Amino acid sequence: MLRSHTCGELSAEQIGQKVTLSGWVQIARDFGGMTFIDLRDRYGITQLAFNEDVSAELCAEARKLGREWVIKIEGEVTERSNKNKKIATGDIEVIVSSIEILNESKVPPFTIEDVTDGGEDIRMKYRYLDIRRNVVKNSLILRSKLGKEIRNYLDGQGFIEVETPVLIKSTPEGARDFVVPSRMNEGQFYALPQSPQTFKQLLMVGGLDKYFQIVKCFRDEDLRADRQPEFTQIDCEMSFVEREDIIEVFEGLVKHLFKYEKGIDLGDFPLMPYSEALERYGNDKPDLRFGMELHNMGEAVSGAGFKVFDDAELVVGICAPGCAGYSRKQTDQLIDWVKRPQIGATGMIYLKVNEDGTLKSSVDKFYDADALAKWVNIFDAQPGDLILVLAGKESNTRKAMSELRLEMGNKLELRPKDKFECLWVVDFPLFDYDEEEDKYHAMHHPFTAPLADDAAMLKTDPKNVRANAYDMVINGVEVGGGSIRINKRDQQELMLELLDFSPEEAKAQFGFLMDAFGFGAPPHGGIAFGFDRLCALFGGSDSIRDYIAFPKNNSGRDVMIDAPSELDEEQLKELSLSVRK
Amino acid sequence: MLRSHTCGELSAEQIGQKVTLSGWVQIARDFGGMTFIDLRDRYGITQLAFNEDVSAELCAEARKLGREWVIKIEGEVTERSNKNKKIATGDIEVIVSSIEILNESKVPPFTIEDVTDGGEDIRMKYRYLDIRRNVVKNSLILRSKLGKEIRNYLDGQGFIEVETPVLIKSTPEGARDFVVPSRMNEGQFYALPQSPQTFKQLLMVGGLDKYFQIVKCFRDEDLRADRQPEFTQIDCEMSFVEREDIIEVFEGLVKHLFKYEKGIDLGDFPLMPYSEALERYGNDKPDLRFGMELHNMGEAVSGAGFKVFDDAELVVGICAPGCAGYSRKQTDQLIDWVKRPQIGATGMIYLKVNEDGTLKSSVDKFYDADALAKWVNIFDAQPGDLILVLAGKESNTRKAMSELRLEMGNKLELRPKDKFECLWVVDFPLFDYDEEEDKYHAMHHPFTAPLADDAAMLKTDPKNVRANAYDMVINGVEVGGGSIRINKRDQQELMLELLDFSPEEAKAQFGFLMDAFGFGAPPHGGIAFGFDRLCALFGGSDSIRDYIAFPKNNSGRDVMIDAPSELDEEQLKELSLSVRK
């Protein structure tokens, strides 16, 4: 070893000891006769001292060192006269007796500091330097710790980790697959898995009973901010279970992680039906850190001659506490905000419940004080509150109101990163009906079982069948989701038929799974968590990129290694492929 | 939960308890008034009893059940009159009070038994049924346990598990990459990693210090038996280390696994230089479970007028103890064996050291008793031994003799699966010289550092430069290998130059790594283990397939899901690709 200790472990205990340290020069400071160097490694920073009086030669060498040079030193631990309480090694310094330069460094393109002068692009290009920064390094360490604790917990519960294949079969359903041409099977392609869904179900058919895997998955989608073409799932499946069993085990997992990593005892997670989540919060992943619930105002506002409300499928509002004092400029800004294409509202109505009890709305000419008092009642609004109302097509309006609620939550600082509110959203619709195509899509995926009570309606009223599915939501983020699966061949066939698969398509794509269901498939169900997102949640960050060692940019490029790239004609030929111009 | 207990946990302790079990019908036996069912799950088998006198109805239902049907029963644990000591639950049986059929099963295409009537092909097609068999199930459980213990050990040593990307950049060096067309970057391709080599080195440049990952890797090679296009590596890297540090940590890992899984204390692993391994055992992964070392016989046999020996680059022999009694038929069979194309010898000479001390060789007309006595001396052969000799081109002959040694080891049962002999092979040549192409290839890979003593010879005598590389060999299997890496830009450039990279090629393919070396790359080195192979070694199996949940066949096909497969024209178009006919 080129060191006896790390740069994070020396303290007063080692005073007088001879030590060997290796690391990077964080900074060198020259004070006439003394030169000090902060030596950095993964574990911390240790101050090295060079005294002109003791060795002019060593001092001269120290002065040659630049930032990020890699050195190995020997020296003696001594007490520091000027202690630094901010770092773990702040009580000591090392009086250097010899120095060896292990590698030089050019001047880095950005500073290796917690607050750096490097923008995202340059830091991605030199990601290996970015990783030296505490924020990225600690994110990767956190990820490693969480992965380990997830495995410990699941192992303790009797789960087996099984690796499922990466080179699988392409299915045209759902998101786009990445594909891999097969040289040995000319003109044929593998696909990279979007999830190990069918394989984990086959492991249940195989009797493995409790499976998990922390596994890379792939999705060839146009990337939105903070989406990665490759991402990591905590993928789990159990046999002989019902919904409550899955909920118990995996609520337990998340509670364990919070306790282990943050020392937080989470209470039991409430279960909320999908329909209730939509009604109260406008979406299926409600942020329960704050209230400000949605209320349907249709009855209270209709018939007053205000066309916007009268013609709307939905009139819905929230009550922002203490915002009645908003200036015209502030309300105008909010109106502009909801009109942005990402939100998509056509306008916003508001009612100020003034401190003196008077009411002032933006639609006073349609609603008198009595009419507006009804609004106040709906929300039980208090003096000083501001009621914000949107109207229009039902689903768009609900979505816009949900966004506005979250935005007001941000403005009012009701969404602190160190508060965690968890719940299960359940009883999703099994299908998503696409009016344009007059077609059903699976809301989760085609393997989700209907609720037992609704199964009989599959043939008669599919639109209203609820799925035996569940999402775990923390602070408005869907961190995991899953379902009890179909395990009978006839029900799986019916499901694929409802999803417009011809019998031939069903057989070609999922024949192996339906065959498997013919050989004693046990009742089973599972869940998958987005590991990147879970890490970001634990780290208190909005960006998953910090938790991925080598992320790709929004065009799916790795700018550090410059991938993807073109292939030789030779390679293409071997694969029997040509690129269309 | 559809069970209160598993089928492996009930014992005399639970007698009198009401229990609920779920599982598969292994077998049903009918004895007039009594019906017995063996109910199986992941954990074991429990006998269920149905008494005609108690409930004719239940008995009738039980008789309808076929093999592999999935049922849930309730009943009471009772003492068995006829105890079965072979199974953990053999002291009890469950008197069934109610039965629910959870799923039916067709008759499986092969028996779900330890010894099955199913051939490899049919078992692969119905792998989910194969997994129900103990041999496969236990292999997957062993793999999961080993994975967990590897993580525990490395975590205890301060290693961080970091996921490196799967969608990377294609490099024409070495084995063929699998590639992935990028839809968003038209005409460009990602590659799947053959190993995370460059990324783990960049993590070292990033200061992460101790990295590991259990990770899927990919190689598009023509598959030999027991090679898989996707395989799993235990990939590790450390900074500020020398060879001895790596050896200490990872010898420790393997010792830990043997202790944990098998209760075996392995002694320290000897280090053997590559040249010595070649000389004594004929290959660089010697099986040390037995001796029968190779001896060079050139000097002792040349000049006797026997052209085969006189013209040979190498005459080499082994001494098979106690085989002097081999019949003519047996020696002829050995001669046929070495002449097989896989072994490639042109013939074999032998010398029997008879029990009475007389010598009888197959070349008596060239060598008299005195001459043959020299052979005996070389091997210190004892009465009853058989000396086997091959001659010809040096490298072929050595290889053939190594194979013959292993074959004789098998015949003499000197290679028991429950004995483990481990060593490190070190001091490999850095380069492999290809005479035909007049070109150097990297014996390990282009990032391996030369031994410090030999570094100066890189420019003058590359052929004789030894690598700072090491392989861990157990029972003749290379389970892991690695090296101290180059960490200086100029040495890496020289290395690539020696490997015939033009400066442009070097920059295009490894520019990012050489750039990284310019910013303070620490001394570092690492190792990678083949996890599939390691599992097979622990399981005492020659085949890695049992340790892979869903393996591919020798054409790289998954016959269960029928992948790879053709793509829609639509999909190809999106990828700007067409298939050459």
Side-chain angles (χ1 to χ4, degrees):
Chain A
M1 277 298 221
L2 306 182
R3 60 187 175 201
S4 62
H5 295 77
T6 70
C7 294
E9 69 177 309
L10 295 175
S11 65
E13 269 180 56
Q14 283 88 18
I15 286 170
Q17 279 187 28
K18 298 268 181 207
V19 296
T20 307
L21 299 181
S22 289
W24 287 264
V25 173
Q26 175 76 19
I27 196 166
R29 288 180 308 268
D30 223 348
F31 295 106
M34 292 290 289
T35 298
F36 295 98
I37 285 178
D38 280 353
L39 191 68
R40 187 196 69 231
D41 66 8
R42 167 183 151 193
Y43 310 90
I45 282 179
T46 298
Q47 178 163 295
L48 310 179
F50 301 79
N51 192 331
E52 184 88 61
D53 296 340
V54 176
S55 168
E57 205 182 321
L58 265 179
C59 253
E61 247 188 293
R63 280 196 210 101
K64 282 192 315 200
L65 303 175
R67 276 180 185 244
E68 301 306 317
W69 285 38
V70 188
I71 60 171
K72 174 184 155 192
I73 62 96
E74 288 172 13
E76 188 179 319
V77 183
T78 56
E79 189 170 0
R80 230 201 255 195
S81 54
N82 190 8
K83 295 200 173 50
N84 180 348
K85 291 289 164 211
K86 278 190 237 155
I87 62 172
T89 63
D91 285 352
I92 58 94
E93 63 191 11
V94 174
I95 308 291
V96 175
S97 57
S98 83
I99 183 167
E100 182 185 342
I101 294 170
L102 298 173
N103 218 343
E104 302 186 0
S105 175
K106 292 191 286 185
V107 175
F110 52 88
T111 54
I112 314 289
E113 308 266 6
D114 290 359
V115 177
T116 178
D117 57 355
E120 168 108 1
D121 288 353
I122 191 100
R123 286 189 291 107
M124 286 302 151
K125 184 165 166 54
Y126 298 93
R127 182 64 163 175
Y128 43 87
L129 297 178
D130 202 23
I131 290 173
R132 290 187 194 162
R133 295 172 55 235
N134 284 324
V135 53
V136 183
K137 180 191 75 181
N138 290 336
S139 299
L140 295 178
I141 291 175
L142 171 65
R143 184 182 179 115
S144 179
K145 278 172 72 179
L146 288 178
K148 179 179 156 274
E149 257 335 278
I150 290 164
R151 288 192 162 95
N152 279 351
Y153 174 87
L154 292 175
D155 177 70
Q157 300 270 332
F159 282 76
I160 305 170
E161 184 161 26
V162 180
E163 294 174 54
T164 53
V166 176
L167 298 171
I168 65 165
K169 185 170 174 162
S170 185
T171 55
E173 266 307 283
R176 229 180 262 105
D177 289 324
F178 281 106
V179 297
V180 180
S182 166
R183 183 181 51 86
M184 292 214 281
N185 301 274
E186 215 169 286
Q188 300 194 328
F189 294 75
Y190 302 98
L192 303 180
Q194 296 183 30
S195 95
Q197 182 63 32
T198 50
F199 288 98
K200 68 175 172 175
Q201 293 192 242
L202 291 175
L203 289 174
M204 294 305 106
V205 179
L208 281 195
D209 193 283
K210 288 179 181 179
Y211 143 92
F212 86 102
Q213 188 182 192
I214 301 184
V215 60
K216 275 277 173 78
C217 298
F218 306 86
R219 213 170 280 171
D220 184 14
E221 288 178 309
D222 297 321
L223 301 174
R224 299 196 305 245
D226 227 28
R227 279 257 186 141
Q228 290 282 319
E230 52 179 296
F231 55 97
T232 303
Q233 270 187 205
I234 309 162
D235 193 52
C236 310
E237 197 82 3
M238 300 174 77
S239 293
F240 303 117
V241 291
E242 295 166 301
R243 183 182 78 184
E244 283 59 38
D245 303 309
I246 305 265
I247 283 182
E248 189 185 330
V249 170
F250 293 96
E251 187 172 314
L253 167 64
V254 171
K255 283 176 177 167
H256 172 77
L257 294 179
F258 270 91
K259 182 72 186 170
Y260 172 83
E261 179 55 34
K262 296 184 167 291
I264 293 177
D265 283 304
L266 292 178
D268 288 342
F269 300 6
L271 261 64
M272 187 182 290
Y274 171 85
S275 56
E276 182 184 335
L278 235 56
E279 207 172 294
R280 292 173 58 191
Y281 301 96
N283 70 48
D284 59 2
K285 37 181 200 285
D287 185 344
L288 299 191
R289 279 174 297 183
F290 66 110
M292 221 189 281
E293 294 186 16
L294 278 59
H295 282 92
N296 196 328
M297 302 174 66
E299 273 183 38
V301 301
S302 69
F306 181 44
K307 221 171 135 41
V308 172
F309 284 178
D310 288 348
D311 294 352
E313 275 178 26
L314 176 72
V315 182
V316 65
I318 54 172
C319 176
C323 294
Y326 269 27
S327 66
R328 176 65 181 264
K329 192 175 161 200
Q330 283 175 300
T331 51
D332 280 353
Q333 275 172 345
L334 274 185
I335 291 170
D336 288 344
W337 190 89
V338 299
K339 283 170 143 179
R340 300 186 327 159
Q342 303 95 305
I343 310 300
T346 49
M348 187 190 77
I349 305 304
Y350 61 82
L351 166 63
K352 292 180 175 176
V353 184
N354 293 319
E355 292 288 356
D356 62 7
T358 59
L359 302 175
K360 172 70 195 148
S361 86
S362 56
V363 283
D364 280 355
K365 64 175 151 171
F366 296 101
Y367 299 92
D368 60 17
D370 281 353
L372 293 175
K374 283 197 214 161
W375 300 21
V376 174
N377 276 340
I378 288 174
F379 294 95
D380 191 19
Q382 303 300 310
D385 290 355
L386 174 68
I387 293 170
L388 305 171
V389 187
L390 300 178
K393 282 262 186 196
E394 171 148 4
S395 110
N396 295 351
T397 304
R398 203 186 298 285
K399 193 175 155 298
M401 185 46 94
S402 158
E403 296 290 338
L404 179 59
R405 170 178 174 270
L406 295 174
E407 173 68 8
M408 292 309 296
N410 288 337
K411 275 187 197 293
L412 298 175
E413 295 178 359
L414 300 172
R415 306 176 72 191
K417 285 208 189 311
D418 56 354
K419 185 179 171 190
F420 297 92
E421 291 293 339
C422 314
L423 78 156
W424 291 96
V425 177
V426 297
D427 298 351
F428 289 83
L430 187 58
F431 298 104
D432 208 4
Y433 179 64
D434 185 331
E435 280 186 47
E436 264 174 57
E437 294 190 63
D438 182 27
K439 219 178 136 169
Y440 289 106
H441 296 291
M443 189 117 172
H444 272 74
H445 53 54
F447 314 111
T448 299
L451 280 183
D453 286 349
D454 295 3
M457 285 153 54
L458 267 179
K459 285 186 176 162
T460 54
D461 186 13
K463 210 178 299 189
N464 285 315
V465 172
R466 287 165 302 167
N468 201 345
Y470 31 78
D471 278 0
M472 185 192 286
V473 176
I474 303 181
N475 290 1
V477 175
E478 180 207 321
V479 294
S483 62
I484 298 298
R485 325 298 184 186
I486 295 169
N487 73 323
K488 303 224 167 154
R489 186 178 177 124
D490 52 353
Q491 197 172 62
Q492 189 65 65
E493 279 173 346
L494 173 60
M495 186 73 182
L496 291 173
E497 193 188 316
L498 288 167
L499 293 169
D500 247 12
F501 280 74
S502 72
E504 296 71 36
E505 287 167 340
K507 187 170 186 316
Q509 285 174 45
F510 301 116
F512 61 96
L513 187 66
M514 290 192 290
D515 281 350
F517 286 173
F519 290 105
H524 62 286
I527 193 166
F529 292 87
F531 189 40
D532 309 299
R533 175 75 49 212
L534 195 68
C535 291
L537 184 85
F538 268 83
S541 165
D542 290 326
S543 166
I544 61 172
R545 285 200 193 162
D546 285 343
Y547 299 84
I548 297 172
F550 300 101
K552 295 190 171 54
N553 73 9
N554 281 351
S555 321
R557 294 200 71 82
D558 182 326
V559 296
M560 180 186 70
I561 62 171
D562 193 23
S565 59
E566 277 162 30
L567 291 189
D568 288 354
E569 177 60 17
E570 201 51 41
Q571 265 178 291
L572 285 170
K573 222 166 158 179
E574 267 197 328
L575 297 169
S576 310
L577 287 181
S578 46
V579 172
R580 301 183 196 208
K581 300 291 172 192
Chain B
M1 277 297 218
L2 306 183
R3 60 187 175 200
S4 62
H5 295 77
T6 71
C7 295
E9 70 176 308
L10 295 175
S11 66
E13 268 182 55
Q14 283 88 16
I15 286 171
Q17 278 187 30
K18 298 269 180 206
V19 296
T20 306
L21 299 181
S22 289
W24 286 264
V25 173
Q26 175 75 17
I27 194 166
R29 288 180 308 272
D30 224 348
F31 297 105
M34 291 291 289
T35 297
F36 295 99
I37 284 178
D38 280 355
L39 191 69
R40 188 197 70 234
D41 67 9
R42 168 181 151 195
Y43 310 90
I45 281 178
T46 298
Q47 177 164 295
L48 310 179
F50 301 79
N51 192 330
E52 182 87 61
D53 295 340
V54 176
S55 167
E57 207 181 321
L58 266 178
C59 252
E61 246 188 294
R63 281 198 208 99
K64 283 191 314 200
L65 303 174
R67 277 182 183 243
E68 301 306 316
W69 285 38
V70 188
I71 59 171
K72 174 184 156 192
I73 61 97
E74 289 172 13
E76 189 178 318
V77 183
T78 57
E79 189 169 1
R80 232 202 253 193
S81 53
N82 190 6
K83 294 198 173 53
N84 180 349
K85 291 290 164 209
K86 279 189 239 155
I87 62 172
T89 62
D91 285 351
I92 58 94
E93 63 190 11
V94 175
I95 308 291
V96 176
S97 56
S98 81
I99 183 167
E100 182 186 343
I101 295 170
L102 297 174
N103 218 341
E104 302 184 2
S105 175
K106 291 192 286 184
V107 175
F110 53 87
T111 54
I112 313 290
E113 309 267 4
D114 289 1
V115 178
T116 177
D117 56 355
E120 169 107 2
D121 288 353
I122 190 100
R123 286 190 291 108
M124 286 302 151
K125 184 164 164 57
Y126 298 93
R127 182 64 163 175
Y128 44 86
L129 297 179
D130 203 23
I131 290 173
R132 289 187 194 163
R133 294 173 55 237
N134 283 323
V135 53
V136 184
K137 180 191 74 182
N138 290 336
S139 299
L140 295 178
I141 291 175
L142 171 66
R143 183 181 180 115
S144 179
K145 278 171 72 180
L146 288 178
K148 178 179 156 274
E149 257 334 279
I150 291 163
R151 288 191 161 96
N152 279 352
Y153 175 87
L154 292 174
D155 177 71
Q157 299 270 333
F159 282 77
I160 305 171
E161 184 162 26
V162 181
E163 295 173 55
T164 53
V166 176
L167 297 172
I168 66 165
K169 184 171 175 162
S170 187
T171 56
E173 266 305 284
R176 228 179 262 106
D177 289 325
F178 281 105
V179 297
V180 181
S182 166
R183 182 180 52 86
M184 291 211 283
N185 301 274
E186 217 170 287
Q188 299 195 329
F189 294 75
Y190 302 99
L192 302 181
Q194 296 183 31
S195 94
Q197 182 64 33
T198 48
F199 289 98
K200 67 175 172 176
Q201 292 193 244
L202 291 175
L203 289 174
M204 294 306 106
V205 178
L208 281 196
D209 198 277
K210 290 180 180 177
Y211 143 91
F212 86 102
Q213 187 182 192
I214 301 185
V215 60
K216 275 278 174 77
C217 298
F218 307 86
R219 214 169 278 171
D220 184 14
E221 288 179 309
D222 297 321
L223 300 175
R224 299 196 305 245
D226 227 29
R227 279 258 186 141
Q228 290 281 319
E230 52 179 297
F231 54 97
T232 304
Q233 270 188 204
I234 309 162
D235 192 53
C236 311
E237 198 80 3
M238 300 174 77
S239 292
F240 303 116
V241 290
E242 295 166 301
R243 183 183 78 182
E244 283 57 39
D245 303 309
I246 305 266
I247 283 183
E248 189 187 328
V249 170
F250 293 97
E251 186 173 316
L253 167 64
V254 170
K255 284 176 176 167
H256 172 76
L257 294 180
F258 269 91
K259 183 72 185 167
Y260 172 81
E261 179 54 32
K262 296 185 168 292
I264 293 176
D265 283 304
L266 293 178
D268 287 343
F269 301 5
L271 262 63
M272 187 182 292
Y274 171 85
S275 56
E276 183 184 336
L278 235 55
E279 208 171 294
R280 293 173 58 191
Y281 301 96
N283 70 49
D284 59 2
K285 39 181 199 283
D287 185 344
L288 299 191
R289 278 173 298 183
F290 68 110
M292 220 188 281
E293 294 186 15
L294 278 58
H295 282 93
N296 197 329
M297 302 174 66
E299 274 183 38
V301 300
S302 69
F306 181 44
K307 223 174 133 41
V308 172
F309 284 177
D310 288 349
D311 293 352
E313 275 178 26
L314 176 71
V315 182
V316 65
I318 56 172
C319 176
C323 294
Y326 269 27
S327 66
R328 177 65 182 264
K329 193 177 158 197
Q330 283 176 299
T331 51
D332 280 354
Q333 276 172 347
L334 275 184
I335 292 171
D336 287 345
W337 191 88
V338 299
K339 283 170 141 178
R340 300 185 327 158
Q342 302 94 305
I343 309 301
T346 49
M348 186 191 78
I349 306 301
Y350 61 81
L351 167 62
K352 291 180 174 175
V353 184
N354 293 319
E355 291 288 357
D356 62 6
T358 61
L359 301 175
K360 171 70 194 149
S361 85
S362 55
V363 284
D364 280 355
K365 64 175 152 173
F366 297 101
Y367 299 92
D368 59 18
D370 281 355
L372 293 175
K374 282 197 215 162
W375 299 22
V376 174
N377 277 341
I378 289 173
F379 293 96
D380 192 18
Q382 303 299 311
D385 289 355
L386 174 67
I387 293 172
L388 304 172
V389 188
L390 300 178
K393 282 262 186 197
E394 171 149 2
S395 111
N396 296 350
T397 304
R398 203 186 297 285
K399 195 176 154 295
M401 186 46 96
S402 159
E403 297 290 339
L404 180 58
R405 171 179 174 270
L406 295 174
E407 173 69 7
M408 293 308 298
N410 287 337
K411 277 188 195 294
L412 298 175
E413 295 179 357
L414 300 172
R415 308 175 72 192
K417 285 208 187 313
D418 56 354
K419 185 179 171 190
F420 297 92
E421 290 294 339
C422 314
L423 78 155
W424 291 96
V425 177
V426 297
D427 297 352
F428 288 83
L430 188 58
F431 298 103
D432 207 4
Y433 179 63
D434 185 331
E435 281 186 44
E436 264 175 57
E437 295 190 64
D438 181 29
K439 219 177 135 171
Y440 290 107
H441 295 291
M443 188 118 172
H444 273 73
H445 53 54
F447 315 111
T448 298
L451 279 183
D453 286 349
D454 295 2
M457 286 153 54
L458 266 180
K459 284 186 177 161
T460 56
D461 184 14
K463 211 178 296 189
N464 287 315
V465 172
R466 288 166 301 168
N468 201 346
Y470 30 79
D471 277 359
M472 185 191 287
V473 176
I474 304 182
N475 290 1
V477 175
E478 180 209 321
V479 295
S483 62
I484 299 296
R485 326 297 185 185
I486 295 169
N487 74 323
K488 302 224 167 153
R489 186 180 176 119
D490 52 355
Q491 197 173 60
Q492 189 64 67
E493 278 171 347
L494 173 59
M495 184 75 181
L496 291 173
E497 193 188 316
L498 288 166
L499 294 169
D500 247 13
F501 280 74
S502 71
E504 295 71 35
E505 287 166 341
K507 188 172 187 312
Q509 285 173 45
F510 301 117
F512 61 96
L513 187 67
M514 291 193 290
D515 281 351
F517 287 172
F519 291 105
H524 62 288
I527 193 167
F529 292 86
F531 189 40
D532 309 299
R533 175 75 51 212
L534 195 69
C535 291
L537 185 86
F538 268 84
S541 166
D542 290 325
S543 167
I544 60 171
R545 285 202 192 162
D546 285 342
Y547 299 85
I548 297 172
F550 300 100
K552 293 191 173 54
N553 74 9
N554 281 350
S555 319
R557 294 199 71 81
D558 182 327
V559 296
M560 180 185 70
I561 62 171
D562 193 26
S565 59
E566 278 163 27
L567 291 189
D568 289 354
E569 177 60 18
E570 199 51 42
Q571 265 178 294
L572 285 170
K573 220 165 158 180
E574 267 196 329
L575 296 169
S576 311
L577 287 182
S578 46
V579 172
R580 301 184 196 204
K581 300 293 174 193

